[in-house]
Amino acid sequence: MSGGMLYGGDEIGALVFDPGHHSLRVGYAQEDTPKAEIPAVVGVASDDVKTEPEIKPEENNVSSTPSSNKYYIDTTFLHLPKPNMELHSYMKDGMIENWDLFEQILDYSYEKIIQSESHFHPVLFSESPWNQRQKREKLTELMFEKYKVPAFFLVKNAALAAFANGRATALVIDSGATHTSAVPVLDGYVITNAVVKSPLGGDLLVLRAREMLESIGVDLTPAALIASKEVIREKEKPKFTKKKFNFQPTNSWMTYMVKRTVQDFQQTVLQVSENPYDEKVAMNIPAVQYEFPTGYHQDFGPERFKLAEGLFDHPMLGAGYIASTSAGMCDVDIRPALYSSVVLTGGNSLVQGFSDRLSRDLSSRTPGSMRLKMIAANGTVERRFGAWVGGSILASIGTFQQMWVSAQEYQECGKAQIDRKCP
Amino acid sequence: MASGVTVSDICKTTYEEIKKDKKHRYVIFFIKDERQIDVEEIGSRDEEYDSFLQKLQAGGAGECRYGLFDFEYMHQCQGTSESSKKQKLFLMSWCPDTAKVKKKMLYSSSFDALKKSLVGVQKYIQATDLSEASQEAVEEKLRSTDRQ
């Protein structure tokens, strides 16, 4: 408990960061939702080719660095095409990969969202269950050395999600943008060697949906490029005018924007059928209409189910399969406890019908002697920001203050202290 | 990963009273001021399971609690003609779905501390609704570790 009480009390205004592949969630502890959700991509415009743009971006929107690169962060700046702006993601496999870009994001968060000095606020970070030691230490070093935080803590996001749903022991199914993982949590500790993950996540759905839409000839021009459009009848050729730019938007920007367009389509239209996909059944379910940014609109029937089926029909990587594999890798004694509290979290689990289908798939795999219970928060916010909400509460609990790794401890013991205090 | 909540000495002494001396039937614990786990209610030896459930939920739908119960049931071993009475202690964390996230979080992250200080409990049960906390569900869980 050394030094922990120096900044004790409840009024400490801790910050919670929850990095993911889709976005980084930032906000103050004790609040119900994050202050901001920043897309996990950074636009980098190098000034190597000196083509000064006419519309010079306002200086205060851009965090400039000693190198001549300009960085564009957050939805507002990303969605406007700029010459030579390439988009990069700083995440890989659920871990932070590109530290330079990540620092830019942190700078931006402190400056624009928190709007306060970093050395006043203890910071709680969430991490993926398979985060590497070297990366944890690097993050600790970064937070203490560069941002001078008074205290720091790292928690596995699965543990946070389990806590937020009232469980200390649970099997957490986290379906995010790039992967779906099954993580057993025992008394708040992640059983790391029984974590199972599959690459079937939201991005896969987006990819498949995009292929499908392109194959039926839908124009996926993103909204940011459209100046005006006319109302047309269903399945008619869209009539719209494009915005005029005197440069060509970069490929990575186009890819990202098209992805966002398809993502919206995926979130509103797709649905997982309760039973394994059957064309005949799917035909009988009412179709859903969707209008694309170009104004083109049509009904989507069986495709809705066929696309979403990809998350479940794989014999080895389907969500139900990885959940039962993960439970199977744990000790026999705790398996009943895991099956009786399956916690569902992650933005991709919000695809309609996801939880029903998962509980159906899992119940057929649950051993007869065990009871299956699935816990899925109803609200969109609780599901998408499950880990953040958990972190927000944990950091605000009075007695948690003694758990932090304080700056003093860091000075005395170095970055390895994180491995001792944060399992 | 724990919340840092501590367990008061009264919890331990009350636990010893129930385990060794069989003085009470059940104990309800709660977290006082988000800092310490304390005893809220003690049930006398002749009280039934239903009153335990009632006391567990006395705080309303938005509250979480821990409960310790000395459960008795008849068990018949295979190949024997007579059944014997069994006594088992179980510790339950009660976090209803309707409770606030903060409460759930506080109680679930502190459950480990309570588990560690009450040594000798046979079964730990996490309950979020009555289907998991009912007498039948609990008995089924306790019996699952018995020999047939």
Side-chain angles (χ1 to χ4, degrees), chain A residues 142-155:
Chain A
L142 177 72
M143 294 318 286
F144 278 119
E145 299 288 347
K146 181 172 177 197
Y147 295 98
K148 309 267 181 242
V149 293
F152 180 69
F153 204 77
L154 261 176
V155 200

Side-chain angles (χ1 to χ4, degrees), chain A residues 157-196:
Chain A
N157 50 22
L160 289 176
F163 282 150
N165 285 290
R167 299 284 181 160
T169 299
L171 181 62
V172 179
I173 312 291
D174 184 349
S175 189
T178 50
H179 50 251
T180 300
S181 59
V183 185
V185 179
L186 180 67
D187 292 332
Y189 294 97
V190 170
I191 304 174
T192 357
N193 52 5
V195 173
V196 181

Side-chain angles (χ1 to χ4, degrees), chain A residues 1 5 9-10 30 153-156 159-160 162-170 186-189 337 340-341 369 371 373 375 382 389-391 393-394 396-403 423, chain B residues 1-6 33-36 64 93-97 99-112 115-116 123-129 131-133 137 140-141 144:
Chain A
M1 296 187 193
M5 285 303 168
D10 298 336
Q30 222 162 4
F153 204 77
L154 261 176
V155 200
K156 303 256 185 283
L160 289 176
F163 282 150
N165 285 290
R167 299 284 181 160
T169 299
L186 180 67
D187 292 332
Y189 294 97
S340 65
S341 48
S369 57
R371 280 181 57 225
K373 187 175 184 220
I375 306 157
E382 284 91 338
V389 172
I393 295 157
L394 187 68
S396 67
I397 292 176
T399 47
F400 182 71
Q401 309 318 327
Q402 55 191 304
M403 312 298 284
Chain B
M1 241 295 311
S3 63
V5 169
T6 53
D33 307 326
E34 296 187 5
R35 292 200 173 272
Q36 201 175 43
C64 302
S93 79
W94 170 249
C95 295
D97 293 330
K100 277 207 168 148
V101 185
K102 173 148 191 182
K103 288 262 187 259
K104 287 196 227 175
M105 187 97 191
L106 187 66
Y107 275 79
S108 51
S109 58
S110 312
F111 193 38
D112 202 32
K115 272 189 189 177
K116 282 198 178 118
K123 200 81 190 169
Y124 303 106
I125 296 170
Q126 296 187 82
T128 56
D129 58 29
S131 74
E132 286 172 286
E140 191 192 315
K141 277 191 179 132
S144 68

Side-chain angles (χ1 to χ4, degrees), chain A residues 327-339:
Chain A
M329 282 156 80
C330 294
D331 201 275
V332 188
D333 295 344
I334 64 163
R335 268 181 231 166
L338 292 179
Y339 275 112

Side-chain angles (χ1 to χ4, degrees), chain B residues 127-140:
Chain B
T128 56
D129 58 29
L130 278 179
S131 74
E132 286 172 286
S134 70
Q135 189 163 358
E136 296 76 43
V138 166
E139 196 173 321
E140 191 192 315

